Amino acid sequence: MKKLIAFCCLIFVIIGNSQAQKIDKKLTAKIQQEINGFRGDIGIYVKNLKSKKEVRISSDSIFPTASIVKVPLLVGIFQKIDANEVQLDQKFIYSDKRTYGGSGLMQFYKDSAQTDLSTMISLMLTYSDNVTSIWIQELAGGGQTINPLMDNLGLKNTKVNSRTAGREDIWKKYGWGQTTPYEIAHLFELIRDGKVISEKHSDKMYRFLKNQFYNERSLSQIPAIYATISKTGSVNDARGEVVLVNAPHGDIVFSILTKNNKDQSWTKDNEAENLTRRIAKIIWDHFEG
């Protein structure tokens, strides 16, 4: 019996050491030094998908998604496509009653202009179009349908709050959506691995996520010859970004989320955006420099 207990203890030690080895201590130290003094709250998750080593800095804390919520919306609409309730080439008629403001192009469409679902998804992701995003959220069944999809993927803290019954108070705190640095990066990893809805649909989602107009943050620090998927999100007191890059020595996924930011400016010199660029460069140089 004593030998069995000793053996079990040894197994726990081995497992514990194995898990500890997954943390990239050198990269963690570099990033931690860089974020010291940031005037706000920040959470970071990094994973080298080849070595499986990670960086976790407040990676399980909840942050506002801002426009990053459009990735869960993408999953929601593809669930409807998989169920044959909508099709990518399905036609829709734009009404100027849908004008919402903020980012995007569809608000400038003429009333009664014809579009299709594929174009709407492209606008939602490439230009972070708010009109198409709200429209797609409706077509996907809203938060009542999308949030259980996130639960099924193991993303318990990734939720659509806006226009979702029962989440009004949470919406006041986090806005349109919420997630954690780990969960939103893991969603990208699941899409990459063909594990969201189906391999075919994951592949199509991956292709949509490749085209980004807003590429001046992390993507500006990654050589353009390497393929990436990404999504940014911005509101006054929060900035966020999630990126997966097909790097030469192994794919890398990372997310950088902030909230309660002191600097609420809308310029390229915004403190959180500058910090995001510097962290992205640290990550890239660490693995590929």
Side-chain angles (χ1 to χ4, degrees):
M1 179 58 120
K2 290 182 179 179
K3 289 183 179 180
L4 178 60
I5 293 173
F7 176 75
C8 291
C9 290
L10 178 61
I11 292 297
F12 285 129
V13 169
I14 291 172
I15 291 172
N17 288 338
S18 175
Q19 290 175 338
Q21 289 171 357
K22 290 183 179 180
I23 298 299
D24 192 321
K25 294 181 180 179
K26 289 185 178 179
L27 181 55
T28 299
K30 292 176 186 177
I31 294 175
Q32 190 66 63
Q33 183 177 6
E34 189 64 43
I35 66 176
N36 286 339
F38 173 66
R39 299 178 302 162
D41 300 323
I42 187 165
I44 298 168
Y45 179 79
V46 185
K47 184 178 182 182
N48 183 302
L49 298 178
K50 184 176 182 180
S51 70
K52 309 300 183 186
K53 285 194 172 183
E54 301 172 316
V55 172
R56 288 177 171 267
I57 299 173
S58 298
S59 60
D60 294 320
S61 297
I62 298 175
F63 288 80
T65 59
S67 286
I68 294 175
V69 75
K70 293 164 188 177
V71 182
L73 301 188
L74 174 68
V75 176
I77 197 63
F78 264 88
Q79 180 66 48
K80 294 295 185 180
I81 292 169
D82 183 64
N84 290 320
E85 294 181 29
V86 293
Q87 291 78 41
L88 279 173
D89 60 357
Q90 186 171 337
K91 306 300 181 185
F92 293 90
I93 302 298
Y94 170 70
S95 166
D96 58 13
K97 293 179 181 178
R98 289 189 171 274
T99 302
Y100 187 80
S103 59
L105 302 177
M106 187 162 279
Q107 60 184 309
F108 305 113
Y109 273 35
K110 292 182 178 179
D111 186 56
S112 301
Q114 181 175 275
T115 187
D116 59 43
L117 183 57
S118 182
T119 298
M120 290 162 62
I121 294 172
S122 294
L123 288 173
M124 176 178 76
L125 297 174
T126 301
Y127 294 98
S128 207
D129 190 288
N130 286 332
V131 173
T132 57
S133 300
I134 294 170
W135 201 344
I136 286 171
Q137 181 172 319
E138 292 173 8
L139 293 171
Q144 290 88 346
T145 299
I146 298 168
N147 292 343
L149 292 177
M150 297 298 105
D151 289 338
N152 291 338
L153 292 169
L155 310 176
K156 304 298 183 183
N157 293 305
T158 301
K159 295 287 179 285
V160 177
N161 296 327
S162 178
R163 306 179 185 216
T164 303
R167 300 190 68 84
E168 293 82 3
D169 290 340
I170 301 176
W171 169 78
K172 292 176 183 177
K173 183 176 182 179
Y174 292 111
W176 195 341
Q178 63 181 66
T179 191
T180 71
Y182 164 73
E183 286 192 359
I184 195 62
H186 187 57
L187 179 54
F188 264 32
E189 183 181 354
L190 290 172
I191 293 172
R192 165 195 178 265
D193 293 343
K195 295 179 178 179
V196 179
I197 302 175
S198 71
E199 188 171 350
K200 179 183 73 173
H201 290 320
S202 291
D203 180 82
K204 189 64 175 178
M205 284 186 272
Y206 201 97
R207 293 175 188 276
F208 274 120
L209 286 162
K210 281 185 175 182
N211 304 312
Q212 292 299 322
F213 176 75
Y214 297 104
N215 56 21
E216 71 280 0
R217 295 187 206 172
S218 295
L219 299 189
S220 69
Q221 306 303 308
I222 298 169
I225 60 173
Y226 300 113
T228 59
I229 63 172
S230 67
K231 189 72 191 79
T232 59
S234 303
V235 291
N236 286 338
D237 64 347
R239 298 289 194 278
E241 185 164 24
V242 54
V243 176
L244 193 155
V245 54
N246 304 132
H249 295 94
D251 290 0
I252 307 160
V253 65
F254 63 90
S255 59
I256 305 164
L257 304 180
T258 68
K259 62 183 178 181
N260 302 319
N261 298 0
K262 178 85 170 179
D263 183 356
Q264 300 188 14
S265 64
W266 288 88
T267 69
K268 290 184 178 180
D269 292 326
N270 176 275
E271 181 183 11
E273 295 187 21
N274 268 333
L275 181 60
T276 298
R277 280 186 281 271
R278 295 198 303 271
I279 294 170
K281 178 168 173 47
I282 289 170
I283 293 169
W284 179 259
D285 288 347
H286 178 77
F287 292 116
E288 301 293 341

